[in-house]
Amino acid sequence: MDKRLLSTVQYNPLANNSIAEIRRITNAIENSWGVSLFEFKKDRTRMQLYDHALKCVTTTNKALCTALEIPVESACRFKRMLEDEGKLTASDYAVKCPITGSFAHLISTNTLEFSRLRASSQ
């Protein structure tokens, strides 16, 4: 591991939460689809990857982008397209993003999560 990256992780107060969240996302995808994240990513476009991953996990856009190595700019476009199609919903409430530490809304393409995300509080 690059020493500069390691020092950033050691001094970043969000680092432990970030690493745990990335592991949670990747484990959820791997468990749900029965293949490694590498295999999961191999034959899918970024849009398909984003959509399928959000069926397995409910998280913030930034956390998903970090775990899947998708540029945030692309993911924002995917998010908007899925919202317009009625396939994605965002929470009515904001939570603390495990990656940035800022408040953000949870997102999901899992229809079973839609009613929970639309609730006024968590």
Side-chain angles (χ1 to χ4, degrees), residues 13-14 17-18 21 24 58-63 91 93-106 122:
L14 296 172
N17 289 341
S18 300
E21 179 66 3
R24 184 185 75 80
T58 300
T59 189
T60 63
N61 193 44
K62 179 64 175 180
S91 62
Y93 52 89
V95 297
K96 198 170 197 177
C97 176
I99 306 299
T100 65
S102 301
F103 284 94
H105 295 272
L106 297 173
Q122 193 172 12

Side-chain angles (χ1 to χ4, degrees), residues 74-122:
S74 297
C76 289
R77 188 173 61 253
F78 303 153
K79 179 180 174 231
R80 185 173 51 252
M81 290 178 355
L82 290 168
E83 281 177 317
D84 290 345
E85 295 172 5
K87 294 180 180 178
L88 181 144
T89 194
S91 62
D92 290 338
Y93 52 89
V95 297
K96 198 170 197 177
C97 176
I99 306 299
T100 65
S102 301
F103 284 94
H105 295 272
L106 297 173
I107 56 174
S108 180
T109 57
N110 182 343
T111 56
L112 299 175
E113 288 287 306
F114 284 12
S115 61
R116 184 178 72 85
L117 293 176
R118 291 185 182 136
S120 60
S121 62
Q122 193 172 12

Side-chain angles (χ1 to χ4, degrees), residues 1-119:
M1 177 180 265
D2 185 352
K3 288 184 181 181
R4 290 175 299 181
L5 180 60
L6 184 58
S7 66
T8 303
V9 170
Q10 289 173 343
Y11 296 111
N12 181 352
L14 296 172
N16 290 336
N17 289 341
S18 300
I19 293 168
E21 179 66 3
I22 290 167
R23 283 188 184 138
R24 184 185 75 80
I25 292 169
T26 56
N27 287 342
I29 293 167
E30 290 174 345
N31 291 338
S32 178
W33 293 94
V35 294
S36 70
L37 186 59
F38 176 78
E39 290 293 320
F40 183 77
K41 291 169 70 171
K42 194 165 57 172
D43 59 347
R44 289 175 176 81
T45 65
R46 286 180 176 166
M47 173 68 169
Q48 292 169 330
L49 180 62
Y50 187 83
D51 182 21
H52 289 306
L54 281 172
K55 284 181 176 42
C56 307
V57 66
T58 300
T59 189
T60 63
N61 193 44
K62 179 64 175 180
L64 188 66
C65 291
T66 303
L68 299 178
E69 299 174 339
I70 294 175
V72 175
E73 297 80 9
S74 297
C76 289
R77 188 173 61 253
F78 303 153
K79 179 180 174 231
R80 185 173 51 252
M81 290 178 355
L82 290 168
E83 281 177 317
D84 290 345
E85 295 172 5
K87 294 180 180 178
L88 181 144
T89 194
S91 62
D92 290 338
Y93 52 89
V95 297
K96 198 170 197 177
C97 176
I99 306 299
T100 65
S102 301
F103 284 94
H105 295 272
L106 297 173
I107 56 174
S108 180
T109 57
N110 182 343
T111 56
L112 299 175
E113 288 287 306
F114 284 12
S115 61
R116 184 178 72 85
L117 293 176
R118 291 185 182 136

